[in-house]
Amino acid sequence: MSNAPSIAGRDVVTLDTFSEEEIRAVIERARGLKADGYSSTMRGRSLAMVFFDPSLRTRASFAIAFSTLGGTVIDLVAGRDLWQLEMREGAVMDDLADEHVRDAARVLSEYADVIAIRALAREGDWAQERRDRVIVSFQKHAQVPIFNMESVLDHPCQAWGDALTLEEEFGELRGRKLTLAWTYHPKARPLAVPHGVSTMACKLGMDLTVCHPEGYTLDARVQQSLQHTAAHSGGSVRTVSSLEEAVSGADVVYGASWGSIDRHGNAEREAALRGKHKDRRLTTQLMSATNGARFMHAMPIRRNVEVDDAVVDAPGSLVVRQAGNRLHIQRALFQEVLGVQ
Ligand code: CP
């Protein structure tokens, strides 16, 4: 058994709030569960999932992880199953919203031992969006731990599962080179995966290269935090714009696309900028300049737009294992957060 400090009762909203030791302890538990099977440690407990946005992997892996540990899962879709929620504190609720998040979170806490939320960005000002109001409101009002199933700012269970996949592949990750490569996508995708994966790489002492065209920086406060985290863990972080330079010598190329923060809330201006970078696609030629790099992506993938079929389906592609490992890391997290020894 690990001597890492307990994370029982904690919210899982970003890896940034967990120490390297705590992150490694959860990975270790997940490896054990994957190798040796798992018992009915969630019997008599329940998970309430609330989706404000679509999902395949997260929905399926959260539900199956909890239910195969013996627990009960309810899956609520905002706009279909829930009353429309008011998020503003002290609001005079004479408009469309029927219920305040304060009441919804407290009531769900009566039924469920864990509440998990997916809530991505809407069309708005980035300074407001980055406050992650839905997740933060549930954190504030719920009486049970909150799991982030992807928010405006982060996707911690994806990143934690990716760390498990990387450890399986490489063993110790310290000093390994991970390139996060911005690729073209017809839509402005969330920043949650890029932020989460970057945080994970820096926490575990990897050498992170973030590669994107001008106008596609990560969130400024997340960037500051990455620098601080890398300095603490012995890792490093740099930003480059050339894909060729970014992938040269990489051990891992992590493909992702994300929207321009500067143009957030202005779809037309964002699309105009994005349209200039249609040639940013990961190809076998680019992968051949790496250190035999593994290819990673959180999925869903726009094949032959973000990345060629030949890269996604190559022996060095980890994308399906990454998705599968979400099950094991989430089982481990449920056990850790709910205090299973
Ligand atoms: N990677 C991931 O979160 O996939 P979904 O959006 O399908 O859940």
Side-chain angles (χ1 to χ4, degrees):
M1 180 155 328
S2 162
N3 291 321
S6 167
I7 64 166
R10 300 259 296 272
D11 292 338
V12 179
V13 169
T14 168
L15 261 66
D16 210 25
T17 56
F18 293 91
S19 69
E20 182 179 339
E21 192 185 10
E22 289 166 342
I23 294 168
R24 289 185 187 279
V26 175
I27 295 170
E28 197 53 40
R29 185 187 281 255
R31 287 171 75 107
L33 290 169
K34 188 173 178 178
D36 302 331
Y38 39 89
S39 54
S40 300
T41 43
M42 293 299 126
R43 186 179 295 140
R45 306 203 205 202
S46 54
L47 162 68
M49 305 193 298
V50 184
F51 285 93
F52 289 80
D53 293 278
S55 162
L56 187 157
R57 281 145 289 273
T58 305
R59 167 178 273 116
S61 63
F62 262 73
I64 293 171
F66 202 84
S67 55
T68 50
L69 289 172
T72 299
V73 180
I74 57 163
D75 181 346
L76 301 167
V77 176
R80 188 192 71 187
D81 304 320
L82 302 183
W83 301 107
Q84 188 166 332
L85 292 183
E86 174 63 66
M87 299 290 166
R88 295 169 301 163
E89 295 293 335
V92 177
M93 291 176 56
D94 60 357
D95 200 355
L96 295 177
D98 293 295
E99 180 154 42
H100 201 280
V101 64
R102 178 187 184 87
D103 298 321
R106 288 189 301 168
V107 169
L108 279 178
S109 303
E110 292 287 312
Y111 310 140
D113 298 281
V114 183
I115 300 173
I117 309 288
R118 168 165 289 200
L120 308 181
R122 303 291 177 246
E123 285 292 303
D125 171 55
W126 181 255
Q128 292 296 322
E129 294 271 29
R130 78 167 316 289
R131 292 166 63 188
D132 245 341
R133 191 158 61 173
V134 178
I135 286 277
V136 169
S137 298
F138 271 93
Q139 281 188 279
K140 180 173 178 185
H141 298 299
Q143 307 296 311
V144 297
I146 296 296
F147 273 50
N148 179 357
M149 297 194 293
E150 190 174 355
S151 69
V152 177
L153 280 183
D154 218 308
H155 197 355
C157 298
Q158 177 70 50
W160 224 316
D162 291 344
L164 167 61
T165 305
L166 284 167
E167 273 205 13
E168 286 176 342
E169 200 64 18
F170 294 108
E172 175 54 51
L173 298 179
R174 210 172 291 283
R176 289 282 181 181
K177 297 182 191 325
L178 185 150
T179 293
L180 175 67
W182 187 98
T183 55
Y184 175 74
H185 190 293
K187 295 179 181 169
R189 298 281 297 149
L191 281 112
V193 168
H195 287 165
V197 168
S198 298
T199 301
M200 176 273 288
C202 290
K203 282 274 179 186
L204 299 179
M206 299 183 81
D207 293 325
L208 171 69
T209 297
V210 181
C211 175
H212 59 76
E214 197 177 331
Y216 285 91
T217 57
L218 302 183
D219 177 76
R221 269 189 264 174
V222 171
Q223 286 186 70
Q224 277 175 11
S225 178
L226 293 177
Q227 293 289 354
H228 175 81
T229 302
H232 189 259
S233 71
S236 65
V237 53
R238 66 171 183 148
T239 304
V240 301
S241 60
S242 156
L243 255 181
E244 289 75 14
E245 181 186 349
V247 301
S248 175
D251 297 304
V252 184
V253 175
Y254 200 116
S257 194
W258 59 92
S260 169
I261 287 176
D262 301 339
R263 290 162 180 74
H264 189 79
N266 187 330
E268 211 170 301
R269 282 186 66 224
E270 209 285 339
L273 181 62
R274 167 173 304 277
K276 293 179 185 169
H277 302 292
K278 287 188 173 171
D279 56 345
R280 288 236 178 195
R281 192 178 78 254
L282 295 170
T283 62
T284 41
Q285 191 184 343
L286 276 168
M287 294 300 284
S288 68
T290 65
N291 182 29
R294 310 307 189 270
F295 173 68
M296 298 182 81
H297 192 292
M299 303 172 102
I301 298 171
R302 290 273 186 149
R303 283 171 174 259
N304 304 310
V305 174
E306 292 183 81
V307 51
D308 285 355
D309 277 342
V311 175
V312 183
D313 299 326
S317 170
L318 302 178
V319 296
V320 175
R321 179 133 56 96
Q322 284 177 260
N325 276 338
R326 294 284 303 275
L327 268 180
H328 308 294
I329 208 74
Q330 288 154 196
R331 282 191 186 114
L333 279 165
F334 290 137
Q335 290 193 344
E336 293 272 350
V337 167
L338 292 179
V340 174
Q341 293 302 308

